[in-house]
């Protein structure tokens, strides 16, 4: 009997999806089909690829209500927020489709008498994409759409928590008339996912997930000379400067910390507030967090759903308990959130003060509804603390002084610097990280570079 995956819904603990897992035979067939399909697709004009993928985006968006409900049942996001992921999917897909002709165009270094010289971007072949559950479409679309636009075939392995997302991609591409074999998905065990990535027919791996997962990817492809793109999470800081627009900062920083129940790679996980505004910021932030409505994500009034699983909530509860034991002060009373319950994915949000970097909650990725706030005396102290992390995905600066934001941003070890916003990917900008947040780049014109290889043409025209 074949193995199967079982998606346990955080909403009520029921089995929401069950699917058979693919094995060696299915992997072999998928890769053979992908290679054959890609050999033809690579010669299809970019304009034709654009036309097909735009139809796929339209087909996907047409199912937005069904998709939003499925997201809630699979990973717990409030249904009121599901449409936002569909809108974000469209924004990123549209941009990467639109920019493709420019990104994939031949590069001419300049005229040289008697020669025709240029660099052409050539498709890699078959791209394996390993996608996570927390933003199941936003993370996957970063790789899927540009990989296809660049002339590659794609094999998607989605999280066992969100298997229907892979199937929704397939439905949209089928409706758009994408040639068969160019996009395929496989539900795989970890061991078979490693076999997929290590297969010689796979030419690039795009992975979003944990640091240990990233190391597993590296080992899986270690016998091949191929590149990998990895987004491995973060412990993203926010700095509340003395000249901040306080009300704007509170609203947006707290949203950046608690949206999606804090389960965002680029969500705010630690806050540094200048001493001149610390007390006011903390008071307003705690008041706002206390107004969150924790409950079933199927309820339209809920704006804070359960975490993806009970073990994840237990991990965050442990971080909070350890911090309080070591001197931190918890500002939110969990008993005011009726849905909060030990042993379940339902976890009350929490704001901590009197924290420092010796505490796990300020150094480990929490990936949950908790944030610590530290008081700082200067920009220099804030920069030092913001850089004191194994991660470097994004950092945000909350100030009315753009020059100060640029100066501080230049000193931060991070992939993206925000001023007066957070937890947002602009598809026109490179999405990248440093340190244990990964390597490589998706989105923007630059994102196409990892999905293609340069081929130089050096043609002597005069003999």
């Amino acid at each position: 009997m074949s193995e199967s995956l079982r998606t346990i819904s955080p909403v009520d603990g029921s089995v929401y999806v069950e699917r058979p897992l693919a094995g060696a035979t299915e992997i072999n067939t998928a890769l053979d089909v992908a290679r054959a399909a890609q050999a033809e697709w690579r010669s299809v004009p970019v304009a034709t690829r654009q036309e097909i993928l735009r139809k796929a985006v339209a087909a996907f968006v047409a199912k937005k209500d069904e998709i939003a409900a499925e997201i809630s049942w699979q990973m717990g996001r409030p249904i009121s927020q599901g449409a936002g992921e569909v809108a974000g999917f469209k924004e990123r897909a549209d941009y990467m489709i639109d920019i493709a002709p420019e990104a994939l165009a031949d590069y001419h270094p300049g005229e040289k008498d008697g020669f025709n010289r240029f660099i052409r971007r050539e498709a890699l072949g078959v791209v394996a994409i390993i996608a996570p559950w927390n933003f199941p479409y936003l993370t996957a679309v970063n790789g899927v759409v540009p990989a296809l636009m660049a002339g590659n075939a794609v094999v998607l392995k989605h999280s066992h928590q969100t298997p229907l997302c892979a199937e929704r991609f397939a439905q949209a591409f089928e409706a758009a008339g994408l040639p068969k074999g160019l996009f395929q998905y496989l539900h795989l065990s970890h061991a078979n996912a490693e076999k997929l990535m290590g297969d010689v027919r796979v030419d690039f791996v795009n992975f979003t997930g944990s640091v240990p997962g990233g190391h597993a990817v590296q080992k899986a492809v270690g016998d091949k000379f191929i590149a990998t793109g990895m987004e491995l999470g973060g412990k993203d800081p926010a700095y509340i400067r003395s000249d901040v627009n306080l009300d704007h900062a509170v609203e947006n920083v707290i949203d950046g910390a608690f949206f999606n129940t804090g389960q965002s790679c680029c969500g705010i996980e630690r806050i540094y507030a200048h001493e001149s505004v610390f007390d006011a910021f903390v008071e307003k932030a705690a008041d706002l967090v206390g107004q969150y409505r924790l409950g079933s994500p199927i309820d339209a009034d809920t704006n804070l759903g359960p975490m993806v699983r009970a073990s994840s909530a237990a991990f965050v509860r442990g971080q909070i308990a350890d911090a309080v034991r070591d001197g931190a002060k918890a500002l939110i009373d969990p008993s005011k959130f009726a849905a909060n319950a030990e042993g379940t994915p339902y976890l009350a949000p929490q704001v901590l003060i009197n924290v420092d970097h010796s505490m796990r909650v300020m150094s480990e990725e929490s990936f949950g509804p908790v944030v610590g706030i530290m008081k700082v005396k200067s920009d220099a102290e804030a920069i030092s603390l913001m850089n004191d992390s194994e991660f470097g995905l994004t950092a945000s600066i909350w100030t009315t002084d753009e020059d100060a934001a640029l100066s501080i941003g230049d000193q931060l070890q991070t992939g993206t610097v925000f001023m007066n916003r957070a937890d947002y990917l602009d598809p026109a900008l490179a999405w990248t990280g440093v340190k244990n947040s990964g390597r490589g780049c998706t989105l923007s014109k630059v994102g196409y570079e990892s999905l293609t290889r340069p081929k130089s043409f050096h043609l002597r025209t005069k003999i």
Side-chain angles (χ1 to χ4, degrees), residues 64 67-69 71-72 77-88 137 259:
K64 64 181 180 181
I67 289 170
I71 291 173
S72 296
R77 180 171 321 131
I79 198 167
S80 60
Q81 299 169 0
E85 178 147 3
V86 176
Y137 292 109
F259 186 81

Side-chain angles (χ1 to χ4, degrees), residues 91-92 266 394 416 418 421-427 431:
E91 178 188 30
R92 296 183 193 181
C266 59
T394 80
T416 296
F418 291 111
R421 80 175 311 175
D423 194 23
Y424 170 74
L425 278 66
D426 185 332
W431 184 242

Side-chain angles (χ1 to χ4, degrees), residues 311-431:
S311 59
S312 299
F315 176 82
V316 178
R317 286 188 172 99
Q319 283 189 330
I320 295 169
D322 286 355
V324 171
R325 181 200 63 205
D326 292 339
K329 181 179 179 181
L331 302 182
I332 307 299
D333 181 359
S335 68
K336 293 184 177 180
F337 295 82
N340 178 68
E342 293 275 351
T344 78
Y346 289 87
L347 173 62
Q350 189 56 267
V351 177
L352 300 170
I353 57 173
N354 300 339
V355 290
D356 60 50
H357 282 208
S358 70
M359 299 174 182
R360 294 195 300 131
V361 77
M362 294 298 285
S363 59
E364 292 178 340
E365 186 172 27
S366 300
F367 223 60
V370 60
V371 70
I373 309 176
M374 284 182 66
K375 184 187 296 185
V376 296
K377 296 181 179 179
S378 65
D379 290 351
E381 184 181 7
I383 293 166
S384 176
L385 289 168
M386 293 169 87
N387 285 337
D388 183 26
S389 174
E390 65 177 290
F391 298 105
L393 190 56
T394 80
S396 58
I397 305 158
W398 302 81
T399 176
T400 54
D401 187 337
E402 184 179 358
D403 289 338
L406 287 169
S407 175
I408 293 168
D410 275 340
Q411 300 173 69
L412 296 177
Q413 299 162 2
T414 189
T416 296
V417 176
F418 291 111
M419 172 181 163
N420 296 331
R421 80 175 311 175
D423 194 23
Y424 170 74
L425 278 66
D426 185 332
L429 298 176
W431 184 242

Side-chain angles (χ1 to χ4, degrees), residues 414-455:
T414 189
T416 296
V417 176
F418 291 111
M419 172 181 163
N420 296 331
R421 80 175 311 175
D423 194 23
Y424 170 74
L425 278 66
D426 185 332
L429 298 176
W431 184 242
T432 185
V434 300
K435 298 188 281 190
N436 274 354
S437 284
R439 72 176 188 191
C441 164
T442 58
L443 299 179
S444 78
K445 180 180 176 181
V446 180
Y448 274 103
E449 294 179 5
S450 62
L451 296 167
T452 56
R453 64 173 62 88
K455 177 185 281 187

Side-chain angles (χ1 to χ4, degrees), residues 24 60 141 153 157 162 293 343 363 407 416:
F60 180 86
V141 74
K157 186 271 179 192
T162 47
R293 300 178 299 280
S363 59
S407 175
T416 296

Side-chain angles (χ1 to χ4, degrees), residues 36-108:
Q38 192 273 332
E40 296 186 18
W41 180 247
R42 66 187 296 273
S43 300
V44 171
V46 171
T48 303
R49 297 179 206 163
Q50 285 181 303
E51 182 181 355
I52 293 172
L53 292 189
R54 285 184 178 126
K55 289 178 180 178
V57 173
F60 180 86
V61 172
K63 303 288 187 180
K64 64 181 180 181
D65 292 337
E66 298 168 38
I67 289 170
E70 289 173 356
I71 291 173
S72 296
W73 281 102
Q74 288 177 98
M75 53 75 62
R77 180 171 321 131
I79 198 167
S80 60
Q81 299 169 0
E85 178 147 3
V86 176
F89 171 99
K90 184 178 187 304
E91 178 188 30
R92 296 183 193 181
D94 284 348
Y95 184 85
M96 296 306 288
I97 292 169
D98 290 345
I99 198 70
E102 177 185 344
L104 299 172
D106 293 345
Y107 169 71
H108 295 267

Side-chain angles (χ1 to χ4, degrees), residues 263-275:
Q263 298 169 126
S264 174
C265 299
C266 59
I268 293 172
E269 293 212 359
R270 49 199 175 105
I271 300 171
Y272 306 97
H274 191 272
E275 60 184 1

